[in-house]
Amino acid sequence: MFGVMLSHTDLGRVTSYMIYFRPFFLVLFFLVSGMLYKPKSIKEDFLRVLRCLIFPLFFFTVLNIVLDTGFLKALTNGGMWNYVKVPLGKFLLGDTYWFLSCLAVVQILYSLIYHLFGLENRKDALLYIGIVALLSIFFLERESGGRLPWNADTAIYAAGYFMLGAYLTHKGIKSWEMPSSMKWWALGLFALYIGLVYYLDFKSFGLFKDMHHNRYGAPLLALAVSVFSCAVMMLLAMNFNLGSYTRLLGQYSLVVYCCQGYCFFIVRKLFSLLHLQGLETHPDIYFFVFCFISGCLAIAAGYLFDRFLPEAVGKKRIKHHD
C-alpha cells in the first residue's frame, strides 16, 4: 500500500522512485488477496463482493461528490443532476476507483471458475489456470481501443496472480518456517531485484506502466519481472518483521486507497502552515516523509471507519454486549 501511495503523490521524484515499486506493488496485492480469499458458495461469494467492494466503491463515490468544492454550488443553483451524472456514470462503468472494480471482477471470476470446475477437489489446477490467465498479458492493449467496463480486461490478467496466491495457500506457504540463513538469501535477491529493475529502466524496456494502463513494451519480460519481484517481496516479508506501520496500511488498505487524496491535501496544507516547504530541496527525504505522514492519516481514517462506520468499508459491525 505504501507503493500505491508513492505512485499517486504527483511529486517530482515519483517516476524515478516508482520504477522499484511498479513491478510488484499491484500484482502482489492481487496475489496476497488470493492467498487470503476463502471461497464459499457462488451466492455467498457474490454477496461478499457486493458488501466488501461494490458498496464501498459506491460509498466513496458519493463521498467524493459531497466533499467536492462544487457540490454546494450545484445544490444551490439547481444543477445537481449535471453535477452528479459524470461521477455516477464512472461508477456504473467501474471507473471511479479502478482497482476496486477490477478486484471485484477478479473475485467473481475466481468464484465461478472455482465452483463450476470443482476446484475444491482439484486445487492443483489453480496453478495451471493461473498461468493461462497470466498469459493474457499478450492480448492487453489500451493504446487505441480503450478499456472494458469494470476493467474486465485487466481482471483476466490479475486473476492469474489471484489464483497463484490461492494455490500457494493450498500448498501451505503461510505456515512455512524459514531457516535463519534465508535472511541472507532474501537480502541478496532483493539487491539483485533493485539492480535488475534499474538496468531494465535504464535500457528503456517500457516495463513499468502500471496495470491500469495495460501497456507493456515487452510483455513476457514484464511478466517474468513481476513474478520474480513478488517472490522476492514475499521472501523478505517472511524473514523480516516489517513493523506495525506496514501492517496497518494493509489492514486498512481499502480506506488508504480511497482516502489517500484527502490525506495528501491535508499534509500539503500542514507543511504549508508549518513552513516545511523547504524540505522539497531535499527530495529524497521530502518524498518519503510526505508519504509516511499521509499514511498515518489514512491509518487513522481507517480506524475511525472501522470503529464508527464499518459498513462503509465492507465490514460487519461488531455488537458490544454489556
Side-chain angles (χ1 to χ4, degrees):
M1 287 309 302
F2 194 73
V4 172
M5 293 181 66
L6 289 174
S7 70
H8 290 127
T9 54
D10 295 327
L11 299 177
R13 294 291 289 264
V14 70
T15 302
S16 60
Y17 278 115
M18 281 312 299
I19 64 170
Y20 301 114
F21 287 90
R22 280 200 166 141
F24 73 84
F25 74 79
L26 286 176
V27 297
L28 183 58
F29 198 97
F30 283 107
L31 189 143
V32 173
S33 297
M35 291 177 63
L36 300 176
Y37 189 81
K38 296 179 180 179
K40 298 179 180 179
S41 66
I42 292 180
K43 178 182 177 181
E44 289 176 297
D45 290 345
F46 182 73
L47 291 176
R48 179 167 50 179
V49 168
L50 285 176
R51 176 174 62 85
C52 297
L53 293 172
I54 297 180
F55 180 75
L57 179 62
F58 177 73
F59 172 82
F60 282 104
T61 299
V62 174
L63 185 65
N64 284 340
I65 293 173
V66 174
L67 294 180
D68 190 86
T69 55
F71 176 74
L72 289 177
K73 183 177 180 181
L75 188 64
T76 55
N77 292 344
M80 182 57 66
W81 170 243
N82 289 330
Y83 177 74
V84 302
K85 66 181 181 181
V86 173
L88 289 180
K90 288 185 175 181
F91 164 75
L92 292 175
L93 293 174
D95 197 32
T96 307
Y97 292 99
W98 80 269
F99 185 80
L100 294 183
S101 59
C102 184
L103 183 58
V105 176
V106 166
Q107 290 190 6
I108 291 173
L109 282 175
Y110 177 76
S111 179
L112 291 173
I113 292 172
Y114 186 88
H115 293 293
L116 295 179
F117 290 92
L119 297 186
E120 62 271 16
N121 299 317
R122 295 185 296 141
K123 291 186 178 178
D124 284 346
L126 286 169
L127 175 62
Y128 310 120
I129 298 175
I131 291 174
V132 171
L134 289 176
L135 293 178
S136 67
I137 189 175
F138 290 99
F139 303 99
L140 296 176
E141 178 57 56
R142 288 183 176 170
E143 293 284 2
S144 56
R147 59 175 175 266
L148 295 178
W150 288 76
N151 297 274
D153 45 354
T154 306
I156 296 174
Y157 170 56
Y161 295 100
F162 195 90
M163 292 180 187
L164 290 183
Y167 175 76
L168 291 175
T169 295
H170 168 60
K171 290 299 182 181
I173 189 173
K174 290 189 288 185
S175 62
W176 288 358
E177 294 184 2
M178 294 289 153
S180 58
S181 59
M182 289 300 293
K183 291 185 177 182
W184 294 107
W185 273 103
L187 291 174
L189 288 173
F190 180 68
L192 176 62
Y193 164 73
I194 294 295
L196 175 65
V197 173
Y198 182 82
Y199 171 77
L200 293 175
D201 183 68
F202 178 77
K203 290 294 185 179
S204 301
F205 277 96
L207 303 182
F208 305 119
K209 292 289 186 181
D210 63 58
M211 295 178 73
H212 192 203
H213 294 94
N214 278 353
R215 293 195 295 269
Y216 303 96
L220 184 59
L221 187 57
L223 180 58
V225 171
S226 70
V227 172
F228 173 67
S229 61
C230 285
V232 170
M233 297 305 156
M234 289 180 62
L235 192 59
L236 280 175
M238 294 170 73
N239 282 277
F240 296 93
N241 185 353
L242 301 181
S244 299
Y245 179 77
T246 54
R247 178 182 60 80
L248 289 171
L249 284 178
Q251 180 179 337
Y252 300 123
S253 56
L254 190 149
V255 176
V256 173
Y257 178 65
C258 293
C259 294
Q260 57 185 312
Y262 299 113
C263 296
F264 295 155
F265 175 79
I266 293 172
V267 173
R268 286 191 178 97
K269 290 295 184 181
L270 180 63
F271 278 24
S272 177
L273 289 173
L274 297 177
H275 305 289
L276 296 177
Q277 298 94 327
L279 281 175
E280 295 185 31
T281 59
H282 306 282
D284 295 302
I285 298 174
Y286 178 77
F287 188 73
F288 285 98
V289 170
F290 181 90
C291 284
F292 178 81
I293 298 175
S294 299
C296 290
L297 291 179
I299 289 171
Y303 170 80
L304 293 175
F305 271 109
D306 272 14
R307 182 70 177 84
F308 299 106
L309 196 61
E311 296 86 355
V313 291
K315 298 180 180 179
K316 295 181 180 180
R317 185 178 296 274
I318 299 176
K319 295 182 179 180
H320 301 279
H321 301 282
D322 297 330

